[in-house]
Amino acid sequence: MSTKLRMFTRMMSSSTRVPQVCIVGAGPAGFYAAMRLTKKLANVHVDIIEKLPVPFGLIRYGVAPDHPEVKNVINQFTKVAQQDNVNFYGNITVGKDVTLPQLRQNYDAVLLTYGAEEDKELGIQNEDARNVIAARNFVGWYNGLPSDKDLQVDLSNDTAAVLGQGNVALDVARILLSPIDKLKKTDITQHALDALAESKIRNLYLIGRRGPLQVAFTIKELREQLKMKDCSTIWRESDFAGVADVVANLPRPRKRLTELMLKSLEENKLKKEDTNSKRLYPIFLRSPNKFITDKDNVVKGIELFENRLYGKGNVEEQKCVSTNEMELLDCGLALRSIGYKSVSIDEELELLPQGMVNNDKGRIWDAHPRLAKMYAAGWLGTGPVGVILHTMGNAFQVANMMYEDLSKLPRSRARGGFEEIKRILRNEIVDWEGWSKIDRYEIEQGKKMGKPREKICDIGKMMEIAYS
Ligand code: FAD
Ligand code: NAP
């Protein structure tokens, strides 16, 4: 019997009943909620169930490889998982290997933190053409997500376009334009590194449907792009008409971001000669109408509509409307980066058009009050926006509410917890010890290549190592 199981059995046999909590998804929301719950309730047992054999969600598979400092939160999460009253069970897909009603029958509370697994689509002609790629898949490819390891990315054309102007768009632009020597020292997957080393991309368009006052990326990420070695950022002066006039009245983060764009635009004008070999071209007020393809159905351009802004008041809330003016932009790779969306894993869950599950401040409406209470946190509950800090705040808030509910739990209704779930499962489970073996193996492989880690991208191989 493992130490954790012994501890759990001891707790179960004591006079106070231990509330059983199941968290679905081992990303930041799941870990932060487990952290808060176990801090507030000494007497609680938390099982974190994860689809992949490995934990950490978008910290591992989203955060850019050249931002290692962001991934330090993993150390905090590791401490949470090592607590006696917390278990990690990887390689279990809720909705497939075990159902939501089965979890609800065997736990006092079920917290869903399974994130946003799909991306939004433009819904335009030829979106399925070759080399029109979702940024989500491209990110998964360079970060080693098993389902994206075989993505076909052709980097042989000198021009690419990214549709969308959020931080994910800037991440993928930066990875495509970064000097390869910089990427070599990161945990980017070797297959991506090899492909990027051969990349011919020199020009990258970053296309936004609204104006400079509405960009969704943030100042730190833009500053990083502006400082990139061997890469110039070229703004179109016409896009900035009237912007300087309103900048003084903008709220502070937006003001500083806009000032930085205006400063960069002025610096470009003063530059006599551009000796850099790569260029990023932000383009504003353009919406894609359709992708143009060649005879082999490979993208070779994008037809863009010119847009106008309308709406008074807060500039960030201004909307855009397309005019009849059209522009054709040549490119051999197009990345759609217009946001993520959640999926439903059970008919009990209603998805809202904003790409999140219907909930009230984290509480999911209970159609079956006799079953465990159900909650949502993180991107699944808030929609697919916000940095880790926002996700943390939301997970803490939902965990506080769960604590209130669990404190009032009737003593009589003991739940089976994972012991019961194990009887249902047909697949092999990866526990924290199994993940630790994968972790050590990846770090060792990385060392040989001068990288912090070389991720295993194959589930079979992960399982082999976890069970070695
Ligand atoms: P996720 O991190 O997506 O975790 C969800 C987990 O649930 C995953 O492990 C998934 O495998 C699992 N899961 C899914 N379906 C199931 C199922 N059916 N059963 C069981 N488990 C399941 N924020 C920053 O602060 N800094 C950054 O640099 C940064 N970079 C980012 C880069 C990208 C490309 C993206 C998309 C986001 C980035 N963010 C960044 C935002 C940050 O990643 C999110 O705020 C955070 O990850 C959301 O956490 P979450 O737990 O809700 O979802
Ligand atoms: P996002 O910030 O919501 O940006 C989405 C972009 O797509 C916006 O420019 C949006 O324009 C555009 N868009 C949406 N629908 C469109 C359509 N139909 N046609 C054309 N353009 C469209 O989403 P994200 O970039 O996926 O990022 C998600 C979250 O993760 C954000 O909170 C982000 O800050 C965070 N993140 C952080 C980091 C970091 O801290 N380094 C890195 C990556 C991600 P409109 O504004 O006009 O809608």
Side-chain angles (χ1 to χ4, degrees):
M1 202 194 282
S2 76
T3 324
K4 282 200 174 180
L5 193 55
R6 265 200 305 276
M7 175 83 185
F8 169 68
T9 314
R10 257 205 317 274
M11 287 196 295
M12 285 298 283
S13 56
S14 70
S15 57
T16 329
R17 189 161 89 66
V18 178
Q20 304 277 315
V21 174
C22 178
I23 296 182
V24 179
F31 275 105
Y32 279 125
M35 184 189 285
R36 178 54 62 99
L37 274 175
T38 52
K39 195 169 169 207
K40 290 199 87 142
L41 270 171
N43 199 15
V44 67
H45 187 93
V46 177
D47 291 330
I48 305 178
I49 295 186
E50 164 61 45
K51 176 168 107 166
L52 291 165
V54 294
F56 308 136
L58 285 169
I59 305 295
R60 180 178 161 100
Y61 291 120
V63 172
D66 56 346
H67 285 172
E69 69 291 348
V70 179
K71 303 187 195 199
N72 289 341
V73 288
I74 283 175
N75 299 329
Q76 273 180 295
F77 298 162
T78 299
K79 283 192 190 135
V80 172
Q82 287 169 339
Q83 289 174 198
D84 285 332
N85 53 349
V86 177
N87 275 311
F88 166 79
Y89 297 114
N91 201 38
I92 304 169
T93 303
V94 175
K96 187 176 136 233
D97 301 321
V98 58
T99 65
L100 211 48
Q102 285 167 333
L103 292 182
R104 297 183 72 201
Q105 244 143 35
N106 288 295
Y107 286 90
D108 295 301
V110 177
L111 170 63
L112 303 177
T113 60
Y114 65 82
E117 290 273 292
E118 286 186 358
D119 54 277
K120 291 182 189 147
E121 292 179 3
L122 290 158
I124 61 172
Q125 201 180 327
N126 296 332
E127 202 162 347
D128 58 352
R130 281 164 54 200
N131 244 20
V132 174
I133 295 174
R136 188 180 62 86
N137 297 121
F138 185 70
V139 169
W141 174 73
Y142 64 63
N143 272 333
L145 185 67
S147 54
D148 288 327
K149 70 179 190 320
D150 298 319
L151 186 76
Q152 297 300 305
V153 190
D154 182 351
L155 305 174
S156 62
N157 194 288
D158 67 1
T159 304
V162 179
L163 294 152
Q165 291 182 330
N167 279 328
V168 172
L170 265 194
D171 271 0
V172 301
R174 195 176 64 255
I175 295 297
L176 283 166
L177 296 170
S178 278
I180 200 75
D181 284 344
K182 192 173 168 234
L183 295 179
K184 268 182 190 159
K185 296 176 201 137
T186 71
D187 68 359
I188 191 168
T189 50
Q190 197 56 38
H191 59 246
L193 196 59
D194 292 343
L196 289 163
E198 298 295 315
S199 168
K200 297 281 180 288
I201 291 169
R202 294 289 171 270
N203 307 306
L204 193 144
Y205 292 93
L206 192 74
I207 304 168
R209 63 177 166 179
R210 298 192 288 159
L213 293 169
Q214 290 86 22
V215 288
F217 52 69
T218 40
I219 193 162
K220 184 170 163 280
E221 285 61 35
L222 175 63
R223 203 174 278 133
E224 190 177 359
Q225 181 60 49
L226 294 177
K227 283 187 185 155
M228 185 184 281
K229 223 172 125 190
D230 196 29
C231 183
S232 303
T233 300
I234 317 276
W235 309 91
R236 287 208 290 211
E237 199 173 356
S238 56
D239 285 337
F240 286 81
V243 169
D245 303 337
V246 298
V247 76
N249 297 325
L250 295 172
R252 192 163 154 73
R254 176 69 63 190
K255 180 169 179 264
R256 286 180 56 225
L257 174 62
T258 312
E259 283 167 349
L260 181 61
M261 287 189 270
L262 287 168
K263 181 169 167 258
S264 170
L265 173 71
E266 286 310 309
E267 282 168 359
N268 279 353
K269 281 200 263 175
L270 298 175
K271 224 185 246 173
K272 291 209 171 64
E273 189 188 5
D274 187 355
T275 52
N276 288 333
S277 72
K278 295 178 190 166
R279 281 175 190 81
L280 175 79
Y281 297 96
I283 290 197
F284 297 95
L285 293 163
R286 297 289 182 276
S287 281
N289 180 44
K290 68 172 178 188
F291 293 101
I292 315 289
T293 56
D294 67 11
K295 61 177 180 13
D296 297 318
N297 197 32
V298 181
V299 66
K300 63 172 191 171
I302 313 174
E303 208 173 83
L304 299 167
F305 269 127
E306 258 181 53
N307 293 341
R308 296 247 156 77
L309 287 175
Y310 69 93
K312 292 206 171 77
N314 183 353
V315 287
E316 291 184 27
E317 270 150 36
Q318 283 187 310
K319 303 251 181 288
C320 62
V321 62
S322 291
T323 65
N324 293 326
E325 302 293 313
M326 209 62 116
E327 185 179 353
L328 186 67
L329 189 135
D330 293 332
C331 65
L333 167 68
L335 292 151
R336 176 185 67 222
S337 183
I338 61 165
Y340 286 48
K341 66 177 184 201
S342 296
V343 295
S344 177
I345 56 166
D346 191 278
E347 59 187 20
E348 274 186 21
L349 297 176
E350 185 198 347
L351 281 180
L352 298 177
Q354 302 94 302
M356 59 196 257
V357 82
N358 196 357
N359 70 96
D360 178 14
K361 298 190 188 79
R363 216 184 281 274
I364 296 177
W365 181 75
D366 205 346
H368 309 276
R370 279 175 301 110
L371 296 172
K373 290 199 184 306
M374 226 175 15
Y375 307 82
W379 276 18
L380 180 73
T382 62
V385 280
V387 294
I388 298 161
L389 209 65
H390 297 126
T391 299
M392 179 185 81
N394 171 259
F396 282 173
Q397 176 250 310
V398 177
N400 288 344
M401 192 167 64
M402 291 174 72
Y403 158 74
E404 299 288 331
D405 291 352
L406 287 167
S407 308
K408 295 177 216 142
L409 203 65
R411 288 182 175 224
S412 53
R413 298 158 56 212
R415 304 278 186 171
F418 198 74
E419 284 304 296
E420 285 302 316
I421 299 300
K422 251 191 342 204
R423 293 181 216 280
I424 298 162
L425 294 170
R426 295 282 162 266
N427 41 329
E428 288 177 312
I429 303 157
V430 177
D431 60 9
W432 198 257
E433 211 175 301
W435 151 244
S436 303
K437 286 186 192 171
I438 297 173
D439 189 33
R440 282 196 295 274
Y441 181 90
E442 289 186 343
I443 293 171
E444 261 169 43
Q445 294 304 306
K447 243 185 218 156
K448 294 179 197 162
M449 302 153 112
K451 299 162 84 178
R453 76 169 62 232
E454 184 60 41
K455 288 183 200 161
I456 303 168
C457 308
D458 181 74
I459 303 241
K461 176 88 178 164
M462 287 179 183
M463 297 306 290
E464 199 184 293
I465 292 165
Y467 276 84
S468 63

